[in-house]
Amino acid sequence: MTYRLSQVDLADGSRVVTARRGEDAARVLSGTTNLRDLALDAINAGRSLPDLIAERMTSDTVSLEDALAQGRIRVPIDHPDPAHVLVAGSGLSHRSWYEAQPDHGPDPEKWPDYYKILRLGDEGGRPAEGEIGAQPEWFYKGNGSILVRPGGAVEHPFYGVGPGEEAEIAGLYVVGADLKPYRIGFSLGNEFSDEEMYFRNVYHLAQSKRRQVSLGPEVLIGAPPSDLRAHIALRRGEDVIWDAHFGTGEDNMLHSFANIEAHTFKYRDGLSEGDVFVLYFGNAVMSTEEGQKIEDGDVFELRAEPFGLPLINSVRFGAPFDVGPAKDLW
């Protein structure tokens, strides 16, 4: 059984990292205030993260349920300078999208671009160890300032078109002194985006992705099940207006995690010691794909058993602000 870690603000204002296994109580780790430093300590000591967690486990416990209800669970990983957190993702990565495609005919020249990407993933997204696979779709979300706490509200800005959730798994990483990325673990993720903007024109993908996102309350230290069953629900007031059970994890994907990671971290000039990466691995279902229109105050709730507590986020429609051009310096 693997550990699940959380970053928590205690009632007295101090900050701790907790660890728990299964349904056990979450225990405070001694001398540990953030996940990034814990991971770097493991790297620098040449030790595994579970070994270090076991060594630092204390008898002090925290109710994560209470902390979540009171807004005291932080984003699961951060950096003293949010600019050193890169949040990115991969799309068109799940087999469900590929299998739902209509017949586009035998002529590849007539295939839409998104279908070509899906075909590339189906044919080469799971390379043998040591080989380079097909390049997946990739997009930049923002820096650490876009990460919203579990239970918090993700903002749909006034200049957006139509927001939507993207329920998926996210990988969390830190760069060591050797300038290599190290996988810390995985969490639930709401890769919130402007779905209607993308539906109107796929070439606005990059702009549709520049939105706030959220990560689950608990980080799974270790690989998630390859065939993972998850559930996403959309609530409006007291009513569930849409929900879906779906499969994720590598068995349900066109690309392996390793292939998506390889095409993210191949850009070595983007790796600096101590930097944090959050990588969303792509979704399998979307409420907006089934005709839902998200409203101000709607709530998303994502659950998958290995990840412990659910990821719950409301949606807040943002107020207008000045988006005028840059000011001259002459």
Side-chain angles (χ1 to χ4, degrees):
M1 187 178 293
T2 56
Y3 291 104
R4 300 194 308 273
L5 303 185
S6 300
Q7 297 195 134
V8 183
D9 290 328
L10 299 182
D12 64 5
S14 60
R15 174 177 172 173
V16 297
V17 174
T18 66
R20 68 169 169 173
R21 309 181 82 166
E23 298 303 314
D24 293 348
R27 296 190 177 188
V28 174
L29 301 186
S30 64
T32 308
T33 59
N34 66 84
L35 179 55
R36 171 180 170 270
D37 284 353
L38 176 67
L40 290 172
D41 286 349
I43 294 168
N44 294 334
R47 302 180 62 185
S48 76
L49 199 47
D51 283 349
L52 199 56
I53 292 169
E55 181 180 284
R56 296 190 182 185
M57 193 89 74
T58 71
S59 59
D60 296 335
T61 62
V62 172
S63 169
L64 293 185
E65 291 77 11
D66 288 349
L68 181 61
Q70 296 165 9
R72 292 190 288 105
I73 296 187
R74 289 174 168 260
V75 297
I77 191 166
D78 52 11
H79 188 289
D81 180 356
H84 287 273
V85 179
L86 186 144
V87 185
S90 180
L92 300 176
S93 55
H94 275 62
R95 189 163 297 281
S96 59
W97 298 116
Y98 181 59
E99 293 177 345
Q101 288 298 303
D103 184 0
H104 291 288
D107 185 1
E109 295 299 319
K110 297 180 179 180
W111 292 346
D113 288 342
Y114 71 87
Y115 181 66
K116 293 177 183 178
I117 292 290
L118 289 168
R119 281 291 292 262
L120 281 174
D122 182 54
E123 294 169 357
R126 307 177 70 86
E129 186 174 353
E131 296 182 2
I132 298 176
Q135 184 165 280
E137 180 190 56
W138 187 91
F139 48 82
Y140 172 69
K141 294 290 293 185
N143 63 30
S145 66
I146 70 168
L147 293 174
V148 173
R149 289 190 184 209
V154 288
E155 182 178 298
H156 173 61
F158 77 94
Y159 51 78
V161 181
E165 89 297 341
E166 296 199 16
E168 52 200 83
I169 297 172
L172 282 59
Y173 310 84
V174 68
V175 179
D178 55 2
L179 300 186
K180 293 181 179 179
Y182 288 82
R183 187 187 299 121
I184 297 171
F186 299 86
S187 78
L188 295 174
N190 182 353
E191 194 261 291
F192 190 66
S193 299
D194 196 312
E195 305 293 358
E196 185 62 29
M197 181 183 290
Y198 175 74
F199 292 156
R200 291 184 183 182
N201 191 320
V202 297
Y203 294 105
H204 284 152
L205 170 71
Q207 296 182 68
S208 75
K209 292 296 186 181
R210 293 286 277 113
R211 297 292 183 267
Q212 292 183 338
V213 296
S214 190
L215 295 166
E218 300 184 74
V219 178
L220 183 68
I221 306 302
S226 57
D227 182 13
L228 180 64
R229 301 290 104 182
H231 178 252
I232 177 71
L234 169 59
R235 299 201 309 267
R236 184 166 296 155
E238 298 299 318
D239 299 323
V240 175
I241 64 170
W242 174 87
D243 75 323
H245 294 271
F246 63 96
T248 188
E250 290 188 297
D251 286 355
N252 299 287
M253 295 176 62
L254 298 171
H255 293 268
S256 64
F257 290 157
N259 190 54
I260 295 172
E261 291 169 349
H263 285 288
T264 299
F265 297 120
K266 66 187 180 185
Y267 301 104
R268 295 300 185 186
D269 58 336
L271 302 181
S272 299
E273 181 180 357
D275 279 3
V276 169
F277 283 74
V278 175
L279 182 57
Y280 288 85
F281 288 112
N283 68 324
V285 295
M286 291 188 294
S287 64
T288 50
E289 181 75 11
E290 299 182 18
Q292 295 296 329
K293 299 291 185 182
I294 308 305
E295 297 182 1
D296 189 21
D298 283 355
V299 175
F300 298 109
E301 183 170 325
L302 174 60
R303 294 178 178 271
E305 186 276 328
F307 293 98
L309 294 175
L311 172 57
I312 302 172
N313 296 108
S314 59
V315 179
R316 178 182 66 244
F317 280 38
F321 55 84
D322 181 15
V323 292
K327 298 182 183 297
D328 293 331
L329 280 176
W330 58 83

